[in-house]
Amino acid sequence: MMLETLAARHEFSLAAVKQLAKLYPIIRVESILTSLKMPTRRYFLRVNTLKATPTEVVKELRELGLDAQVYEMLPDAIFLPVKGPFPVKRLNKVVVAKKDAAESVYQGANLYASGVLDARKVKEGDKVSVVNPRGCVAAEGVAMMDGDDMVTRKRGLAVLVDTSVYKVPSVRELDIYKKGLIYDQSFPSIIAGHILSPKPDWLVIDMCAAPGGKATHAAQLMGGDGRVIAVDRSRGRVDKIKENAMRLGLSNVEARVADSRYLDVLEDDLVGADAVILDPPCSALGVRPNLYYEKEEREFQALTSYQRQFLGVAAKLLRRGGLLLYSTCTLTLEENEHNVLYAVEHYGFRPKRQTVFIGTTGFAGLTSHVQRFEPDIHDTPGFFIALLEKI
Ligand code: SAM
């Protein structure tokens, strides 16, 4: 099949399909694209083992009627089933949601005014369909305000969803979430923390940390000791890191607002770190569900160079023998293997074998030195993990 046909059928940019076709045979490209449209079948949670065991949390969830299970191969992961797909109708009254908001609604979240693009003729109390900007129906629900208010207001519940295409358990309303016993984190992202496996007395810097998934996991694996400096450029997102660290009871996390591309100069107390976590902005080609995808070749290139800036600074922050955990939620060669090779060539890094290996091996000769998670094979988001040692 022609790549153009695949791109049109799946509503992915031709540039994205070409990125995948560089690496995978066409039949795999098609199955990856199909998987990316759906959420994973299992919804993973990380258990805060400083407060509870996975078995205790699973027991609490089961008492609430949720079919939770312990993931036996990791010490701190549990999962819940994702239900669906359910049929949803296109009703006469329609609320158009922004892409990200529509993708959350598709999985059962309610729609807030901040996520509404258009809601003409909708009145409070109307039964409505929520659609994405391309008209794909994500859910049915009840309008909680007039359409005009949805568009002009920045806050408030716009649509209370009753039927969505998929239903992911909403754990954030649960007591165990509020008490800091769990953190909702994707499976490969939990794996990444175990690959780094930071020691209790380490200084760990997370250069792109918000909302704090990997930083708080590192802090947890360090038993609440040592120091995790969680940096993010966005002040609002740094507040999220603080909120999460507080909720999880992790006093070894210090959140800072900074542009990490200049961290070695701006914050010289951080030089000599034992480990750096780098999970930079990426083309997010592995995010699920991704109902359509618009990034073009020049954006892939711009992101690759942006990521390289962080890699150079990571090398300056680390002590000799220090570890860099590099991860992305994308599948492109340039942002993953090529960036690793670039770091090896230009910044004095050496790839290290990973102790937990559940994904598949990488490309460009890196094979089992890096790990890929492929949505159609592993029932996970598309994800990439490398562990590099500063030499
Ligand atoms: N590692 C996080 C986790 O596990 O929860 C997710 C990180 S997210 C993929 C990338 C983050 O990088 C965003 O929060 C974004 O604000 C931040 N970011 C982008 N450019 C940055 C920069 N120049 N300096 C610091 N943070 C940056």
Side-chain angles (χ1 to χ4, degrees), residues 93 122-128 141-146 150 158:
K93 302 277 179 91
V122 169
K123 292 280 165 229
E124 186 179 339
D126 281 350
K127 187 91 178 89
V128 295
V142 177
M144 302 305 283
M145 55 176 86
D146 288 349
M150 290 185 193

Side-chain angles (χ1 to χ4, degrees), residues 183 185 189 206-215 231-234 237 258-261 277 279-282 306 310 329:
Y183 187 97
Q185 192 170 18
S189 181
D206 188 336
M207 295 176 75
C208 293
K214 292 181 192 66
V231 184
D232 204 279
R233 188 172 62 172
S234 146
R237 288 174 65 78
D259 185 332
S260 292
R261 291 173 297 167
I277 300 170
D279 182 36
C282 70
Y306 195 55
F310 296 111
C329 57

Side-chain angles (χ1 to χ4, degrees), residues 336-341 344 351 353 361-370 384 386 388:
N336 295 324
E337 285 87 346
H338 281 183
N339 267 354
V340 168
L341 291 173
V344 168
R353 288 202 188 269
T361 55
F363 297 98
L366 281 166
T367 60
S368 56
H369 278 102
V370 296
F384 175 86
L388 304 173

Side-chain angles (χ1 to χ4, degrees), residues 5-198:
T5 317
L6 257 186
R9 183 186 295 166
H10 290 274
E11 296 191 70
F12 269 53
S13 67
L14 181 58
V17 174
K18 282 184 175 166
Q19 286 283 348
L20 294 174
K22 270 200 258 182
L23 302 173
Y24 302 103
I26 203 86
I27 188 151
R28 283 292 313 285
V29 174
E30 170 125 60
S31 74
I32 290 172
L33 293 172
T34 305
S35 311
L36 289 175
K37 299 252 162 179
M38 304 174 229
T40 55
R41 307 300 311 171
R42 294 175 302 175
Y43 182 68
F44 269 84
L45 301 172
R46 188 183 92 224
V47 173
N48 181 2
T49 46
L50 303 181
K51 290 196 178 198
T53 65
T55 314
E56 285 164 354
V57 173
V58 161
K59 187 165 168 278
E60 288 217 28
L61 287 166
R62 289 200 175 162
E63 279 165 11
L64 296 171
L66 293 164
D67 184 18
Q69 287 186 55
V70 170
Y71 181 78
E72 301 287 352
M73 283 159 75
L74 291 177
D76 53 5
I78 64 171
F79 61 92
L80 293 157
V82 172
K83 306 228 167 88
F86 301 109
V88 285
K89 287 192 292 291
R90 194 188 166 91
L91 303 167
N92 287 338
K93 302 277 179 91
V94 165
V95 176
V96 184
K98 293 177 186 166
K99 181 178 190 288
D100 288 2
E103 283 165 358
S104 298
V105 167
Y106 189 72
Q107 304 177 77
N110 291 318
L111 179 65
Y112 290 85
S114 57
V116 175
L117 278 178
D118 191 7
R120 257 166 269 172
K121 296 191 212 142
V122 169
K123 292 280 165 229
E124 186 179 339
D126 281 350
K127 187 91 178 89
V128 295
S129 297
V130 177
V131 303
N132 76 3
R134 297 213 174 166
C136 165
V137 182
E140 292 171 35
V142 177
M144 302 305 283
M145 55 176 86
D146 288 349
D148 290 345
D149 291 336
M150 290 185 193
V151 178
T152 48
R153 282 193 205 166
K154 296 260 181 300
R155 288 166 176 278
L157 182 59
V159 179
L160 183 68
V161 166
D162 49 49
T163 315
S164 50
V165 178
Y166 288 94
K167 183 77 189 127
V168 170
S170 42
V171 294
R172 292 195 183 186
E173 288 136 32
L174 304 179
D175 234 32
I176 53 164
Y177 181 85
K178 291 179 189 151
K179 286 196 287 189
L181 271 55
I182 51 172
Y183 187 97
D184 40 333
Q185 192 170 18
S186 80
F187 176 67
S189 181
I190 302 176
I191 299 274
H194 289 288
I195 288 168
L196 181 63
S197 197

